[in-house]
Amino acid sequence: MLKIAVAGATGYAGGEALRLLLAHPGYGKDFEIGSLTGGSNAGERFGDLVPQLPQLADRVVEDTTREILVANDAAILGLPHGLSAALDLPESMYVVDCGADYRLQSADEWSRYYGSEYAGARTYGIPEIPGNREVIRNSTYIAAPGCFPTGATLAALPGIASGLIAPQISVVSVTGVSGAGKKANVKLLGAETMENLRAYSVGTHRHTPEITQNLQAVAQEGEDVNVVFTPILAPLTRGILTTVTAPARGSLQDIRRAYADFCAGEPFLHLLPEGQQPETQNVRGSNMTHLQVESIDGMVVVTSAIDNLTKGTAGAAVQCLNLMLGWDETAGLPQSGI
């Protein structure tokens, strides 16, 4: 029986990963929950910190060290950027890294947006990108995608891949506060976020090069993808609603058919009927991406809704882990929202 560790187990991403693993059909049969690690919470009772997971309540949080993690067969890392690369986990482990350390293929882009030493690139964890599912199956270390890039990439991907959307893209994403993780920050206090909307990191957000990288991989030959990204913080606990706007290169009927064909074979992509818009409440707690396509005066507007903690982070990690370990890709991943 495999032992799967979760680093950053008391954070939002780590807790969500454990929620999904505990409901996984392989839990207790194919795998058990291994080490639960944290930083400042090491030595504390897990149930005092994450009471919503009573199955693990009496476990003790351990330090996040290489020695503790390598005692497991696999690990999901829910750590701030910069910490995963420093662990230097061996190739013999199956690792899904929810941090940013290995997402970008360009050292220059990493330096520009993160300003620290570049650690390199690993297999990127969006299975829906054409050809990427097999690469994930044959990898042992996956760089899970960021939550904003997931919503934006899956919204634009069918249009860019088909050539029916021009690669000059404006992305606006409205997000809940859990995407920032568990940390003390005045701007994330209830009094600062309730009854308020605020754009932030406009033009400089670290997920911009990741979105561009994903779409450039499927763009028409010889075309450069340009992305302008604006994130907006909303008084939500979880969820991301994204709109992608770009010039159309075909009729709405043709574009919608391309999206329908793309989504048809994807278990976690759902193109809504015409006239019905994605809503974050309908994907809450699920691994789904709901999509809608509209065309206005030669412009395409694609809307996506995801749960930033599930499909945007921990759900993507479990989806990749399923592929790596030869399990059913959908195992343990709810398609129904709460």
Side-chain angles (χ1 to χ4, degrees):
M1 187 180 293
L2 295 176
K3 290 175 65 177
I4 300 178
V6 175
T10 62
Y12 292 135
E16 182 75 352
L18 287 166
R19 180 181 76 87
L20 297 172
L21 290 173
L22 289 168
H24 194 290
Y27 175 58
K29 175 185 173 185
D30 300 314
F31 70 89
E32 62 183 356
I33 304 298
S35 303
L36 305 180
T37 79
S40 60
N41 296 318
E44 296 187 50
R45 180 177 176 271
F46 185 73
D48 294 336
L49 303 165
V50 189
Q52 70 267 32
L53 300 176
Q55 305 98 310
L56 304 171
D58 292 328
R59 299 281 295 275
V60 175
V61 180
E62 301 179 83
D63 285 320
T64 301
T65 66
R66 188 179 193 275
E67 290 71 27
I68 287 173
L69 291 174
V70 297
N72 300 269
D73 302 290
I76 293 175
L77 308 181
L79 303 171
H81 79 268
L83 299 184
S84 301
L87 289 170
D88 190 27
L89 296 175
E91 296 292 334
S92 57
M93 285 187 72
Y94 293 98
V95 178
V96 183
D97 185 355
C98 297
D101 289 23
Y102 294 110
R103 291 177 189 160
L104 297 185
Q105 296 171 3
S106 167
D108 290 340
E109 291 290 80
W110 176 270
S111 177
R112 177 184 174 189
Y113 284 90
Y114 288 88
S116 57
E117 185 177 353
Y118 180 61
R122 303 274 191 154
T123 298
Y124 189 73
I126 293 185
E128 291 84 1
I129 294 175
N132 207 37
R133 190 169 268 110
E134 275 306 308
V135 180
I136 293 171
R137 282 196 178 102
N138 292 304
S139 299
T140 59
Y141 198 114
I142 303 297
C147 52
F148 284 131
T150 298
T153 298
L154 295 177
L157 187 59
I160 295 294
S162 65
L164 292 172
I165 291 180
Q168 286 73 48
I169 299 168
S170 172
V171 178
V172 178
S173 294
V174 180
T175 183
V177 295
S178 62
K182 280 186 182 178
K183 59 186 176 184
N185 187 328
V186 171
K187 291 184 177 181
L188 299 179
L189 291 173
E192 302 294 328
T193 56
M194 290 187 294
E195 302 182 47
N196 189 33
L197 294 172
R198 181 177 70 246
Y200 64 99
S201 301
V202 178
T204 61
H205 197 281
R206 290 168 169 175
H207 285 173
T208 304
E210 191 178 336
I211 298 169
T212 305
Q213 173 181 281
N214 296 346
L215 298 178
Q216 189 65 60
V218 299
Q220 303 299 296
E221 186 175 355
E223 292 193 330
D224 292 328
V225 173
N226 180 264
V227 173
V228 177
F229 175 46
T230 304
I232 298 173
L233 186 67
L236 306 169
T237 301
R238 53 201 291 169
I240 298 178
L241 187 74
T242 295
T243 60
V244 169
T245 307
R249 287 178 168 172
S251 67
L252 176 59
Q253 182 180 13
D254 289 340
I255 296 169
R256 187 170 179 83
R257 186 181 302 114
Y259 273 77
D261 291 345
F262 193 96
C263 294
E266 292 293 343
F268 299 117
L269 299 184
H270 178 47
L271 179 63
L272 296 172
E274 293 183 57
Q276 184 178 6
Q277 283 293 324
E279 301 180 42
T280 57
Q281 66 177 356
N282 295 332
V283 296
R284 184 181 175 94
S286 84
N287 202 53
M288 295 300 296
T289 302
H290 285 191
L291 297 165
Q292 186 55 277
V293 185
E294 303 287 353
S295 181
I296 306 165
D297 296 332
M299 301 294 288
V300 175
V301 179
V302 186
T303 308
S304 71
I306 64 170
D307 186 321
N308 59 294
L309 293 182
T310 315
K311 182 58 174 169
T313 308
V318 173
Q319 188 177 350
C320 289
L321 199 62
N322 284 337
L323 289 167
M324 295 162 72
L325 295 173
W327 299 335
D328 181 348
E329 182 178 345
T330 65
L333 296 171
Q335 293 174 301
S336 302
I338 297 171

